[in-house]
Amino acid sequence: VNKYLNGREVPKDKRNNLYYIDDMQKVHLLDKEGKYKDRVMEKDARLVMPVWSKKNLISISCRALDPEAKKRYVIYKFDEGKPMIFNLYDIDGNLNIDPKLPVFVCEGAIDSLFLDNAIAVNGSDLMRVMKMLKDLELIFVPDNEPRNKDIVRVYQKVINANNQVVIFPDTVDEKDINNMVLKYGRNEILDVINNNVYHGIRAQFHLNLWKRI
């Protein structure tokens, strides 16, 4: 798993909330209610990104290490009632972020590891996340896919809810932070992100330009 993480240039100081499972059939050891009994098809080794609450394990997102795997990601939810916010809490139920500072909200868990004070929604409903974290200063960083109508709707939702959002310039072609880092380097991408945070009318203006790329 370290070979994979090194290849993706995931910062070593951000790997404390990542785990490894050598056989996906062992998921039942985490499944106290037995809801996935005999339902796990995969048998491969995977990188595991858990989502914790203050009290328990909400879900795990398992990333295939084999590039030929049929399913790149497999997600198992153990608590359906809560949003899957990666890196919000640690295994002991402590906050993993500083609530006094702006919090970056990414889509993918791995992408969030390249930013300081960042979480990932793992495909959760953004509006639920906004309500749950309404007392924090949030900066949303959706994927950089101007031709994807679903992603454009995500941007619009964020802007309509009066939140800050990162809208990448047309000089950046990669769709997610990890691929951007691999091409340009982490420091350069951090500068791009920090220099392209928009809000309100300016966010709408830049979204309209970005959609035309």
Side-chain angles (χ1 to χ4, degrees):
V1 71
N2 280 328
K3 181 179 179 181
Y4 171 81
L5 294 173
N6 290 337
R8 301 304 298 181
E9 297 185 14
V10 175
K12 291 184 178 180
D13 63 340
K14 298 294 184 77
R15 300 181 186 182
N16 59 321
N17 200 17
L18 302 176
Y19 296 84
Y20 170 76
I21 188 168
D22 62 354
D23 181 351
M24 284 300 294
Q25 293 295 309
K26 294 180 180 179
V27 164
H28 74 276
L29 297 173
L30 302 173
D31 184 14
K32 296 178 181 178
E33 297 182 2
K35 64 188 293 187
Y36 292 111
K37 181 176 174 59
D38 302 323
R39 290 175 57 193
V40 179
M41 300 293 104
E42 292 74 25
K43 297 181 180 180
D44 57 338
R46 290 184 175 242
L47 174 69
V48 177
M49 293 159 282
V51 172
W52 306 97
S53 69
K54 288 182 179 180
K55 299 180 180 178
N56 62 346
L57 180 64
I58 294 176
S59 66
I60 56 173
S61 177
C62 307
R63 209 289 185 191
L65 300 176
D66 181 358
E68 302 299 321
K70 291 183 178 179
K71 290 185 179 180
R72 188 167 64 166
Y73 282 95
V74 180
I75 295 175
Y76 296 98
K77 298 180 182 180
F78 306 118
D79 189 339
E80 295 284 351
K82 295 180 180 177
M84 297 190 301
I85 306 179
F86 172 77
N87 210 41
L88 183 60
Y89 293 100
D90 64 17
I91 190 172
D92 297 315
N94 301 311
L95 267 180
N96 243 359
I97 57 170
D98 186 342
K100 297 178 182 177
L101 299 175
V103 178
F104 289 98
V105 183
C106 302
E107 290 193 24
I110 292 179
D111 288 331
S112 70
L113 298 175
F114 293 93
L115 306 178
D116 291 327
N117 220 41
I119 58 177
V121 298
N122 276 323
S124 296
D125 177 31
L126 277 177
M127 296 311 291
R128 284 185 69 185
V129 172
M130 290 177 195
K131 291 174 184 176
M132 181 178 177
L133 305 178
K134 64 182 184 300
D135 296 328
L136 303 181
E137 181 184 349
L138 304 177
I139 301 175
F140 286 84
V141 194
D143 283 350
N144 184 36
E145 294 185 85
R147 294 183 182 87
N148 186 320
K149 292 182 180 179
D150 291 332
I151 297 294
V152 172
R153 278 194 286 269
V154 168
Y155 277 87
Q156 194 63 65
K157 233 184 227 188
V158 169
I159 293 170
N160 290 347
N162 204 33
N163 281 291
Q164 300 178 84
V165 63
V166 173
I167 302 177
F168 290 96
D170 58 9
T171 53
V172 177
D173 294 328
E174 289 66 32
K175 84 176 189 74
D176 59 45
I177 293 173
N178 194 179
N179 286 326
M180 293 175 193
V181 168
L182 290 176
K183 182 172 181 179
Y184 302 104
R186 186 183 177 196
N187 289 336
E188 184 168 341
I189 289 306
L190 291 178
D191 285 342
V192 169
I193 288 173
N194 289 324
N195 290 325
N196 288 276
V197 177
Y198 301 105
H199 177 256
I201 295 175
R202 291 188 70 217
Q204 189 63 59
F205 172 77
H206 283 277
L207 176 64
N208 292 340
L209 292 178
W210 178 80
K211 288 191 297 184
R212 299 171 189 166
I213 295 174

